[in-house]
Amino acid sequence: MKLYSNEISSASSRVRIALAIKGIAPEILSVSILGPDAENRQRDYLALNPQGLVPALLTENGTLITQSLSIVEYLDERFPQPPLLPADLEARAFTRTVALAIAAEIHALVPPRVAAQLGSLGLDANAIGDWNRHWIREGLGAVESLLNGRRSGRSGRSCQYVAGDTPTVGDLFLFPQAINAERAGLPLALWPNLAEVVNNLRAVPAFAENAPAPRR
């Protein structure tokens, strides 16, 4: 397998964490995603992945899989141990809910291509930073409410991670987004339940070693 990835990409981080949990080491090909000459916008990469996004996974039989959630679920189905989705159906739905709340409601509004478009409309770096912080704060606030509601529904018993006492898909999405929130100047103390989960994940090597790198 080949993974097209970028070290600062939170979406790539999700897949690298999943691979580490599964003990899989594909060939990793770095694709630049910042600046006018970014490789993800060049003809060669667009011929491979017309969306021009990372991550992208090329399987051994030449099938390309894009979108981090699709890649993670493919890996989980192909390499079922240890599982990344809970056996309990409600817990499985909940961890997917958290993953999609981040992928669809936060990340979709703050990637480099959105920042580039905002810049082309005349927003300066400070205004773009405010945009990003607004949507991260609003999105993670909703995730905090989800985590709090699940805890209340479990008679106050705290889960170590998003959906139980082992990391699942929701954790793969939450952790990189939380790291980026801190780098944007939003302390995780704003969201106590979320902060507790993230602090637990920091102690898991697969997460700590595959967090998104800071932008240079």
Side-chain angles (χ1 to χ4, degrees):
M1 289 189 293
K2 295 181 180 180
L3 177 67
Y4 295 85
S5 176
N6 182 276
E7 63 178 5
I8 70 169
S9 162
S10 61
S12 294
S13 175
R14 302 163 190 162
V15 174
R16 293 198 309 271
I17 293 168
L19 289 163
I21 290 172
K22 299 287 187 181
I24 304 165
E27 179 183 358
I28 295 183
L29 303 173
S30 181
V31 178
S32 64
I33 60 174
L34 297 178
D37 298 323
E39 293 169 339
N40 69 313
R41 304 310 305 168
Q42 302 303 312
R43 180 179 303 173
D44 286 350
Y45 189 71
L46 290 172
L48 174 76
N49 179 5
Q51 290 179 297
L53 301 174
V54 291
L57 183 74
L58 191 65
T59 68
E60 295 97 327
N61 65 8
T63 299
L64 186 77
I65 304 172
T66 64
Q67 295 295 334
S68 59
L69 184 57
S70 294
I71 296 171
V72 167
E73 293 202 347
Y74 166 80
L75 292 171
D76 202 39
E77 291 169 358
R78 182 171 176 190
F79 306 99
Q81 297 300 323
L84 295 175
L85 286 169
D88 177 78
L89 288 180
E90 291 183 355
R92 182 177 292 223
F94 181 77
T95 198
R96 282 181 166 136
T97 295
V98 171
L100 286 167
I102 291 163
E105 306 298 336
I106 304 176
H107 181 82
L109 292 165
V110 298
R113 62 179 180 165
V114 170
Q117 179 65 15
L118 292 173
S120 74
L121 296 174
L123 275 69
D124 62 17
N126 289 332
I128 293 171
D130 288 342
W131 165 279
N132 289 344
R133 282 185 288 274
H134 170 80
W135 292 114
I136 293 170
R137 186 185 298 111
E138 184 158 304
L140 290 185
V143 172
E144 171 70 9
S145 295
L146 289 169
L147 293 171
N148 185 57
R150 179 168 172 80
R151 173 174 294 182
S152 299
R154 291 165 61 90
S155 301
R157 187 172 76 82
S158 176
C159 294
Q160 189 174 2
Y161 304 114
V162 162
D165 294 326
T166 57
T168 56
V169 168
D171 299 283
L172 272 62
F173 282 68
L174 176 61
F175 185 74
Q177 186 62 68
I179 298 298
N180 284 344
E182 290 181 313
R183 290 174 182 160
L186 298 171
L188 296 190
L190 292 168
W191 310 289
N193 292 284
L194 185 153
E196 181 179 343
V197 171
V198 172
N199 285 335
N200 290 335
L201 292 168
R202 292 185 202 272
V204 180
F207 287 81
E209 295 169 7
N210 292 286
R215 295 190 185 188
R216 299 185 180 90

